[in-house]
Amino acid sequence: MDSASSKTKALDPPLHALGFEIDELSPTRVTGRLPVSPICCQPFKVLHGGVSALIAESLASMGAHMASGFQRVAGIQLSINHVKSADLGDLVFAEASPVSAGKTIQVWEVKLWKSKEGSEDRTLIASSRVTLLCNLPVPDHAKDASDPLKLISKL
């Protein structure tokens, strides 16, 4: 499972369906990128705010899941500020990192930037905080839910 696309498909099918690709996975940093295509735009041909929220919660949840020793986590609060738009054709980069990685509650910050194809310049488009409840019991039917993340993150 080498490519970022196949990693994302195994870990988060909704993100994969939008074209998002996970790059880095660790208990202290999760990153990825999304080419802004028609499938993830609202009618004005800019990135849909719900897509930014999906990216934020997904990356924070993966990181918190790893940071909690692969215990079950659940997002209980998501706050996102959209400060600029990303246009059709832009490339969006996302980075999630823990603000506080406690045993019961974790808070993650997720930032999204945009750039034009081939440009090194990045502009912040969204900043979010995700609060997650950690160390929840894993139901019997989901005992193997962590397997793809364990395999891909190589922790």
Side-chain angles (χ1 to χ4, degrees), residues 102-150:
K103 246 173 125 175
T104 307
I105 297 280
Q106 291 190 34
V107 178
W108 283 66
E109 179 177 55
V110 185
K111 291 187 176 182
L112 282 75
W113 298 270
K114 70 176 179 179
S115 73
K116 296 290 183 194
E117 189 69 37
S119 172
E120 296 285 322
D121 295 336
R122 291 186 179 183
T123 302
L124 183 71
I125 61 166
S127 178
S128 65
R129 291 265 172 144
V130 183
T131 304
L132 302 109
L133 191 57
C134 302
N135 294 322
L136 297 168
V138 178
D140 289 336
H141 71 276
K143 292 290 185 195
D144 61 350
S146 297
D147 292 351
L149 189 55
K150 288 176 182 175

Side-chain angles (χ1 to χ4, degrees):
M1 203 173 297
D2 299 315
S3 81
S5 178
S6 62
K7 275 196 279 193
T8 308
K9 185 175 183 180
L11 296 174
D12 198 313
L15 281 183
H16 179 261
L18 294 172
F20 190 87
E21 295 185 349
I22 295 168
D23 292 323
E24 185 178 333
L25 280 167
S26 81
T28 58
R29 188 168 185 241
V30 181
T31 67
R33 58 193 163 357
L34 174 74
V36 181
S37 66
I39 198 165
C40 57
C41 282
Q42 43 113 308
F44 297 103
K45 302 203 183 327
V46 296
L47 182 65
H48 193 290
V51 172
S52 299
L54 173 66
I55 292 169
E57 182 138 4
S58 294
L59 270 56
S61 293
M62 282 184 245
H65 185 57
M66 287 183 285
S68 70
F70 295 98
Q71 296 296 309
R72 182 175 165 216
V73 300
I76 57 173
Q77 170 69 27
L78 168 65
S79 172
I80 187 163
N81 294 297
H82 303 281
V83 295
K84 297 250 186 221
S85 62
D87 300 318
L88 185 63
D90 284 346
L91 186 58
V92 171
F93 298 91
E95 180 179 337
S97 58
V99 174
S100 174
K103 246 173 125 175
T104 307
I105 297 280
Q106 291 190 34
V107 178
W108 283 66
E109 179 177 55
V110 185
K111 291 187 176 182
L112 282 75
W113 298 270
K114 70 176 179 179
S115 73
K116 296 290 183 194
E117 189 69 37
S119 172
E120 296 285 322
D121 295 336
R122 291 186 179 183
T123 302
L124 183 71
I125 61 166
S127 178
S128 65
R129 291 265 172 144
V130 183
T131 304
L132 302 109
L133 191 57
C134 302
N135 294 322
L136 297 168
V138 178
D140 289 336
H141 71 276
K143 292 290 185 195
D144 61 350
S146 297
D147 292 351
L149 189 55
K150 288 176 182 175
L151 177 70
I152 293 167
S153 64
K154 296 180 179 134
L155 293 178

